[in-house]
Amino acid sequence: KGPVGVVLPGLVLATALSVRREWRLLRRYRPVLGLVIVGVVVGGWYALAMGLGGDSFVRKQVLKENVFRFVGATQMKSGHSHPFYYYFPTLLAGLLPWTPFVLAAFVSAVRDAAARRDPRVAFPLVWFAVVFVFYSLADAKRSVYLLALYPAAALVTAWWWTELSRGRASTAWLDGTPARVVVGVLCGIALVPLLSTLAAGLGLDPFAALAPMLAPKDRANLPLVLGIIDQHFWLVLLGTGAMLGALLACARAMRRRDPATLLLSYTIFGLALWTLVFTVFQPELARLRTLGPFVRKAASMTDGQPLAFYRGSFDFGAMFYAPPGTRHWKPGRRTDAGPRYLFIWDTALAELPPAERGQLTILDTSEGTDPRGRQRLVLVRRDG
């Protein structure tokens, strides 16, 4: 998006041409014409958006989303700050059930001199590496940022699978030490939630030892996770058991050097994992940690009348769910009477002067909180 959508493809192309020492091919891509087209199309949109949004749009979309999130998410309060290694486990999980095949394909492609000379293989390798390194260097990291490298991973894996089906690639890697280590680690990872679920079912606290090692935000979510396990105990137990069983089947398929069974086992593992994440844990966490249900309920309570955020209470997460026309209201800056219905954080409401707070009637308070779990959003009506 924005500048990144121009810079990243340019880096991929420049790196690929440098590796192959074929700068003369740059003219075929007509870079000047491309920049002009991008400048007119994207630049025109940005110019219109800046005209409508003013400084707020520049700070949010241009600076915060494209600059601050790369150079310092924590210092600039742009969110999603993670260590440099964050994308390693994220990518391994995101590529399921193809993870072992993608790894094997990349190892085979890097070791094969003929493949490295083939632009159909070399370019996706560069593409993948540049995107991965680029986003790993950024301070802010989200799993969706890696979507740009999935096509490259698919192309390299397709090349390797073709080589394998034609007998030009070996399956010896299935029984090798690296493959065994990967499956062993995954079995250990799957065993942790399985044992944690059993411990929670027995009334124990399986996260007591884990809590000190987590960030404060993640530590605050542990009681919620325990509550979800308790509420959906048998489903969580079945899902984690299926994950472990699938990994054991993977180990057996590796000993037999059977790629088809390995793929089936990883598919079962992936389905069990994503079922637990997206049908059990994520909906419950979203209900308690997002403001979507509350904002939609508030819109229905106001009979279509305009909604606004009170000064100091604007939140992009809540704004995502708000009806069109919702704005940020600052008393004293407008000559009109202002909106009748307002969103305000409970902490901000408590700090208002008594006279100002006395003009507000509380209609509802959110069950969910801000991402840090520190504040709840309140719907109020101005009676003054």
Side-chain angles (χ1 to χ4, degrees), residues 97 243 245-251 253 260-270:
M243 289 167 55
L247 289 172
L248 294 176
C250 288
T261 303
L262 182 65
L263 176 60
L264 177 61
S265 301
Y266 266 103
T267 301
I268 295 173
F269 175 84

Side-chain angles (χ1 to χ4, degrees), residues 94-116:
L95 289 170
L96 285 171
W98 294 95
T99 304
F101 302 99
V102 174
L103 295 176
F106 273 82
V107 171
S108 180
V110 171
R111 288 181 175 179
D112 191 334
R116 294 198 304 270

Side-chain angles (χ1 to χ4, degrees), residues 287-320:
R287 183 176 64 85
L288 298 170
R289 279 291 185 260
T290 69
L291 300 165
F294 171 73
V295 173
R296 287 190 286 264
K297 179 182 178 183
S300 67
M301 294 173 61
T302 57
D303 297 324
Q305 295 191 44
L307 282 165
F309 289 90
Y310 208 75
R311 64 168 179 257
S313 292
F314 184 79
D315 180 78
F316 282 105
M319 186 64 181
F320 179 82

Side-chain angles (χ1 to χ4, degrees), residues 200-213:
L202 295 173
L204 304 176
D205 184 0
F207 301 127
L210 179 64
M213 297 182 288

Side-chain angles (χ1 to χ4, degrees), residues 161-169:
W161 193 272
T162 301
E163 296 293 294
L164 188 68
S165 63
R166 293 176 179 175
R168 294 200 292 258

Side-chain angles (χ1 to χ4, degrees), residues 20 24 39 44 57 60 109 182 210 260 262 278 302 310 350 364 370:
R20 296 183 59 82
R24 67 183 185 279
F57 173 81
K60 166 63 178 173
V182 170
L210 179 64
L262 182 65
F278 293 113
T302 57
Y310 208 75
D364 199 7
D370 68 335

